[in-house]
Amino acid sequence: MSVSRRRFLAGAAALTALQPASRTDAAVRHRPSAPFMLDDASRLNATPINRQAILTSADEGKLLHELRATLGEAASAGRPVAMGGARHSMGGQSLPRNGIAASFAAVAIEPDREKRIYRVSAGARWRDVIRVLDPIGFSPAVTQSNHDFSVGGTLSVNAHGWPVPFGPFGSTVRRFRIMLADGSVVTCSNSENAELFQLAVGGYGLFGIVIDAELAMAENALLVPESELMTADAFAERFVARANDATVRMLYGRLSMARPGFLREALLVAYAQAPQQPVRMPSPKNSSAFSMLSREIFRAQIGSERGKRARWMAETRLMPRVGQVALTRNTLLNEPVAALADRDLSRTDILHEYFVAPDRLNDFLAACREIIPAHRQDLLNVTLRYVDADSSSVLTYAPQPRIAAVMLFVQKRTTEADDDMRAMTVKLIDRTLALGGSYYLPYRLHATREQIRSAYPRLDEFVTAKRRYDPQLRFRNALWDSYLA
């Protein structure tokens, strides 16, 4: 559904004071029985929640009333509030202990082709955005690699993707509106309330509730994949060169998980614009084409050296021969997380992300070869992405161009396995910090307080500003409780 320009650009002057919730409010009508337990993607963070507020109104006036009612209820009861979208974080970053876990249900998207921007409600998922932009020939500039996540969640973690040569998501945000703890609504951009802009982008919802945003969009195009197999030592230089190649639109790398060449062989896949563009683009169907390998082949790696070798052979030998088909940019971005999901309830997928300068990638991989095999964790995948320098966030993880190493481990859902994961994570972060790199905050809260301060040198500034904008600490989550309180 589309919305008027008035909705997205309305100022704060007409906004009324924060009011406590009444039993007729939509936010109250949609609550389940309370209290109850809510978890995130880790399946290791079951957290007691007082109630979950599903904010359903598409009408702006009613939605703002619902938000203020929710904040008023929390203020009256002295409870925290945290917004959530897909809750794909893995360390409780969207979970307010004994508080109100809120989320949006309505979707509104309005593209402006002349300005190459679109206005979108924070609760919209990327699949919704693609569905609206694709028919007019456009695509979101930066998203995560899957379409399930919410726009508000992407802004709150300042996510990065694999379109190039972009920096993190914040670099594509033109402005957004945010409701503060007192119920006021503020418009933020690089020139208006710029301090709050940089605090809320990558601010994990700790400064307020993002209502909607104005974002850059890119042209959709038919792209042709080009695969190159090389040693891991040669990867960084070639990767950066391809990221800065004007013909390349999307780019990623993979590393071998097989024991004989563990993290020593690399595959570079670049998607360049096809010389001939069709008059009418094919629709971005939800299929497994982008997944590169089927779920069965991917999951066959678990606990199996034979499975890891087979997966690497399929990705580096088979797919370059049979899978080199042209796909649109939107098709590549329009895949669900569930494409490779595990169905075994005794284990869970755990993500790590580390960011290092390209000239330190080989040192980072050497550290991984030393640390990871010494622990009991099963590494199934490493994807490498290019992330351009970022100045959009106080908590930036890429002050200079970085290569991101996105790691997927399979972990048993036991205390022993989690303790082992924590020990391994601390070692990996230490080695990354020693190389001048950083790590990503949306995942398991296994880092030490010293490590988070080292990785994010403006952390004290962030905390001081948080207490100034939200003196009652109304917006809280496990990240705040664990490190910043």
Side-chain angles (χ1 to χ4, degrees):
M1 109 182 232
S2 64
V3 294
S4 68
R5 186 180 305 271
R6 181 180 179 186
R7 164 173 180 170
F8 286 95
L9 302 181
L15 300 175
T16 57
L18 192 157
Q19 296 292 328
S22 70
R23 292 195 176 276
T24 60
D25 290 327
V28 174
R29 288 202 305 270
H30 288 271
R31 67 176 168 187
S33 58
F36 68 105
M37 305 297 286
L38 191 64
D39 211 335
D40 58 22
S42 72
R43 296 192 290 167
L44 295 170
N45 282 318
T47 301
I49 301 296
N50 179 257
R51 78 173 182 89
Q52 188 171 14
I54 310 297
L55 306 171
T56 60
S57 293
D59 176 80
E60 170 156 316
K62 291 181 179 178
L63 175 64
L64 295 180
H65 178 71
E66 287 184 13
L67 286 171
R68 292 195 181 94
T70 301
L71 290 175
E73 176 190 345
S76 298
R79 297 188 184 280
V81 175
M83 291 297 295
R87 290 197 169 84
H88 195 69
S89 59
M90 294 187 173
Q93 292 86 349
S94 59
L95 301 176
R97 181 170 291 274
N98 298 316
I100 300 174
S103 59
F104 293 116
V107 173
I109 303 163
E110 183 187 70
D112 186 328
R113 297 178 67 174
E114 290 185 7
K115 295 183 178 179
R116 298 172 67 92
I117 60 173
Y118 60 101
R119 300 174 183 88
V120 57
S121 55
R125 304 296 178 99
W126 289 111
R127 57 178 177 261
D128 303 318
V129 174
I130 291 170
R131 186 170 59 246
V132 172
L133 297 189
D134 188 77
I136 63 170
F138 283 92
S139 179
V142 171
T143 75
Q144 295 99 318
S145 58
N146 299 101
H147 72 193
D148 314 76
F149 310 113
S150 69
V151 172
T154 301
L155 187 150
S156 294
V157 304
N158 196 22
H160 62 90
W162 57 295
V164 291
F166 295 100
F169 178 73
S171 66
T172 73
V173 178
R174 298 296 174 257
R175 59 179 52 84
F176 59 85
R177 291 193 304 157
I178 185 171
M179 180 176 283
L180 304 181
D182 63 2
S184 63
V185 174
V186 177
T187 299
C188 299
S189 69
N190 282 323
S191 59
E192 184 179 6
N193 297 304
E195 179 193 50
L196 185 56
F197 180 95
Q198 292 192 341
L199 291 163
V201 172
Y204 294 85
L206 292 171
F207 285 83
I209 300 171
V210 174
I211 300 168
D212 47 46
E214 187 177 284
L215 309 173
M217 59 188 187
E219 289 186 9
N220 191 26
L222 191 67
L223 306 178
V224 178
E226 303 169 359
S227 299
E228 300 177 55
L229 185 61
M230 64 192 72
T231 65
D233 288 347
F235 180 85
E237 183 176 359
R238 179 62 176 159
F239 195 58
V240 172
R242 294 297 274 160
N244 290 287
D245 182 337
T247 67
V248 174
R249 296 289 184 268
M250 303 183 78
L251 180 72
Y252 70 90
R254 294 263 202 260
L255 294 170
S256 172
M257 303 293 101
R259 190 176 300 140
F262 182 62
L263 307 184
R264 295 185 184 278
E265 273 194 297
L267 177 71
L268 189 158
V269 181
Y271 280 85
Q273 188 160 318
Q276 297 294 325
Q277 294 290 308
V279 175
R280 188 170 188 174
M281 294 286 180
S283 62
K285 296 178 181 178
N286 292 335
S287 71
S288 59
F290 168 60
S291 299
M292 303 298 289
L293 299 166
S294 69
R295 196 198 72 84
E296 288 73 20
I297 293 176
F298 188 80
R299 291 293 162 185
Q301 298 180 93
I302 299 174
S304 171
E305 179 60 25
R306 181 178 180 181
K308 290 179 171 63
R309 289 197 300 269
R311 182 266 173 112
W312 189 241
M313 286 290 292
E315 190 160 24
T316 59
R317 294 342 192 253
L318 177 63
M319 292 305 295
R321 294 179 182 177
V322 302
Q324 300 290 72
V325 296
L327 297 168
T328 69
R329 190 180 195 276
N330 282 334
T331 300
L332 292 168
L333 293 173
N334 201 33
E335 283 295 316
V337 171
L340 296 177
D342 196 359
R343 300 189 182 108
D344 189 329
L345 297 180
S346 71
R347 61 195 184 212
T348 186
D349 292 345
I350 297 297
L351 291 171
H352 291 205
E353 293 189 35
Y354 301 96
F355 306 91
V356 294
D359 62 359
R360 303 312 300 268
L361 178 65
N362 292 341
D363 297 322
F364 171 76
L365 294 180
C368 292
R369 293 184 202 112
E370 173 191 332
I371 294 169
I372 294 172
H375 288 265
R376 296 185 295 275
Q377 306 305 324
D378 198 350
L379 179 60
L380 296 194
N381 188 68
V382 178
T383 296
L384 300 170
R385 299 179 187 168
Y386 178 83
V387 183
D388 205 5
D390 173 43
S391 60
S392 66
S393 175
V394 170
L395 298 184
T396 181
Y397 48 77
Q400 302 296 329
R402 295 286 187 256
I403 291 179
V406 185
M407 299 180 168
L408 187 150
F409 294 89
V410 171
Q411 177 192 316
K412 289 290 186 181
R413 296 175 65 193
T414 65
T415 300
E416 181 183 29
D418 207 40
D419 288 344
D420 180 70
M421 178 67 79
R422 180 188 299 274
M424 184 188 71
T425 303
V426 168
K427 293 175 187 176
L428 287 171
I429 293 175
D430 267 343
R431 296 290 284 274
T432 303
L433 294 175
L435 298 173
S438 58
Y439 71 98
Y440 202 20
L441 293 176
Y443 300 127
R444 300 287 287 144
L445 303 179
H446 286 162
T448 66
R449 288 174 182 256
E450 292 75 17
Q451 287 177 327
I452 189 174
R453 289 184 180 279
S454 180
Y456 294 90
R458 297 178 68 184
L459 192 67
D460 287 342
E461 174 188 342
F462 180 89
V463 173
T464 299
K466 157 70 175 176
R467 293 182 179 276
R468 175 160 41 89
Y469 281 98
D470 182 14
Q472 301 303 314
L473 303 181
R474 187 62 53 224
F475 301 109
R476 302 199 305 274
N477 55 30
L479 178 69
W480 174 267
D481 294 341
S482 297
Y483 294 109
L484 308 177

